[in-house]
Amino acid sequence: MIPRLDARQLASQDPSAIAMMREAATVTGFATVHSTGISAARVEEILGLYRSFFRLPVAQKAEVDMA
């Protein structure tokens, strides 16, 4: 199961949230995070930026390849 993390609990250093984050980072490899304070509009904006980037020609994307 993918851990579901509460950003407020992480920010307050709640021990159970920290343990879940550790599991997500070392075992699961994934997590979902809620209560971030990020608006739906901001999420949509960022997703749009991702889509724009991935539509670029391969040569242009290669200019920022960090591999």
Side-chain angles (χ1 to χ4, degrees), residues 13-28:
Q13 299 183 9
D14 177 272
S16 65
I18 299 297
M20 287 176 64
M21 175 59 97
R22 184 175 292 109
E23 178 183 338
T26 61
V27 178
T28 310

Side-chain angles (χ1 to χ4, degrees), residues 1-10 16-17 20-21 23-24 28 30-35:
M1 177 180 280
I2 297 173
R4 186 170 188 264
L5 306 172
D6 184 321
R8 292 175 297 191
Q9 289 178 327
L10 288 169
S16 65
M20 287 176 64
M21 175 59 97
E23 178 183 338
T28 310
F30 296 95
T32 60
V33 183
H34 65 96
S35 301

